[in-house]
Amino acid sequence: MGTADAMLDMDLSDLVSRLDESLRTEDFADLDASENGLQVDRHDDSVTRVAFSVDAAVETIESAVDWGADLMVVHHGLSWDGIERVTGRHHARLARLLEADLGLYVSHLPLDAHPDHGNAAGLADLLSLSGREPFGALGGESIGQRGRLSTPRSTEAVHRTLEEALDHGGEGVQVLDFGPEPIEDVAIVTGSGADWFDEAVDAGVDAFVTGEGKGQLYHQARESAVTVFLGGHYATETFGVRALATVLENWGLETTFIDAPTGL
């Protein structure tokens, strides 16, 4: 992240419109509990510096304020099916945003799903998957990707790639090693993607990569003979915001990525 060659001021409304169009925000309005798009406005409509992070939390908001950001772009925002009360954590987060006149833009499922800049796309890039197809069906959209390793690889080799690259906060990548050797076909849904395991089984893949699992996933994987990699919710969802930061740099804005790994 850094400074573009020619720094620009962009109207917040124009920037939001460009992001919404690129991410197809409106197409996910009825699918996502997150209120995607601009969640917190700012008094000054001019934007020069944009901070990116996975989560909108006091820690990341304070870091964005310290850096002098005009806008924060995150994957996990503040409003999920609306905000009923502005108390406790909601008050602490909103108060700091408003005090600093720091806008907040959120992209949850749209950023999971984006074929080029999305979280699943970034993880597919990391694994060098080819022949990619949409995966992870949700209400007519797909929030993941499926593809083939260019060269079949052992479970150990895939695990090592994920361990070395993912920002798992030292917690490592869990493996449910029940699938065939070597691995060739892989399906991905980042974050909390265990609900799409049966789709992976139906697709006939060798391995399924997601962030976090559920208790029943162990036996599902064992009985289905599919290997599962659990890279961590946070770790598998840094790709999208990082990719968006590069997009905005190309639009002439200064960006930074605020890393706050949770180990979860």
Side-chain angles (χ1 to χ4, degrees):
M1 310 308 160
T3 306
D5 292 336
M7 289 298 301
L8 295 177
D9 285 338
M10 187 178 292
D11 286 344
L12 178 60
S13 56
D14 292 340
L15 177 55
V16 167
S17 293
R18 290 180 70 172
L19 284 170
D20 284 345
E21 180 179 1
S22 175
L23 294 165
R24 296 193 301 114
T25 300
E26 185 60 31
D27 293 342
F28 292 84
D30 295 330
L31 304 177
D32 202 344
S34 172
E35 302 291 344
N36 296 308
L38 187 66
Q39 283 193 2
V40 180
D41 206 346
R42 66 189 306 257
H43 178 72
D44 187 344
D45 194 44
S46 178
V47 175
T48 300
R49 309 186 93 197
V50 184
F52 289 79
S53 193
V54 174
D55 303 307
V58 170
E59 175 186 4
T60 56
I61 292 169
E62 289 289 1
S63 294
V65 172
D66 290 344
W67 182 71
D70 306 309
L71 178 69
M72 210 177 162
V73 176
V74 301
H75 184 51
H76 301 132
L78 303 183
S79 180
W80 302 85
D81 289 325
I83 297 176
E84 294 183 359
R85 299 176 187 271
V86 183
T87 59
R89 289 187 298 272
H90 274 123
H91 180 269
R93 295 167 180 174
L94 281 169
R96 195 65 187 103
L97 290 166
L98 296 173
E99 288 168 1
D101 198 25
L102 175 61
L104 179 69
Y105 183 94
V106 178
S107 188
H108 184 234
L109 291 184
L111 192 53
D112 285 324
H114 197 283
D116 301 313
H117 311 313
N119 289 314
L123 198 44
D125 288 343
L126 173 64
L127 294 174
S128 300
L129 298 187
S130 61
R132 299 183 197 180
E133 302 174 0
F135 177 84
L138 181 65
E141 298 290 344
S142 296
I143 59 172
Q145 292 195 3
R146 174 191 170 194
R148 297 171 68 86
L149 294 167
S150 54
T151 301
R153 301 172 65 189
S154 68
T155 299
E156 181 181 359
V158 174
H159 183 222
R160 185 166 57 248
T161 296
L162 295 172
E163 278 268 337
E164 292 175 353
L166 292 182
D167 193 1
H168 48 67
E171 295 300 318
V173 175
Q174 288 183 280
V175 185
L176 305 180
D177 186 6
F178 299 125
E181 292 281 1
I183 292 171
E184 186 169 3
D185 294 305
V186 180
I188 300 168
V189 175
T190 62
S192 182
D195 289 343
W196 284 270
F197 177 75
D198 284 339
E199 183 180 339
V201 173
D202 292 342
V205 301
D206 304 319
F208 178 59
V209 184
T210 188
E212 60 182 285
K214 296 181 177 180
Q216 66 266 30
L217 187 59
Y218 175 92
H219 292 291
Q220 290 172 336
R222 184 171 186 171
E223 292 164 11
S224 302
V226 173
T227 291
V228 175
F229 297 93
L230 302 174
H233 196 130
Y234 178 91
T236 60
E237 297 198 324
T238 62
F239 296 96
V241 285
R242 287 183 181 274
L244 272 189
T246 300
V247 171
L248 265 65
E249 283 182 22
N250 292 335
W251 291 354
L253 299 171
E254 186 176 358
T255 71
T256 191
F257 174 69
I258 297 169
D259 191 19
T262 66
L264 300 174

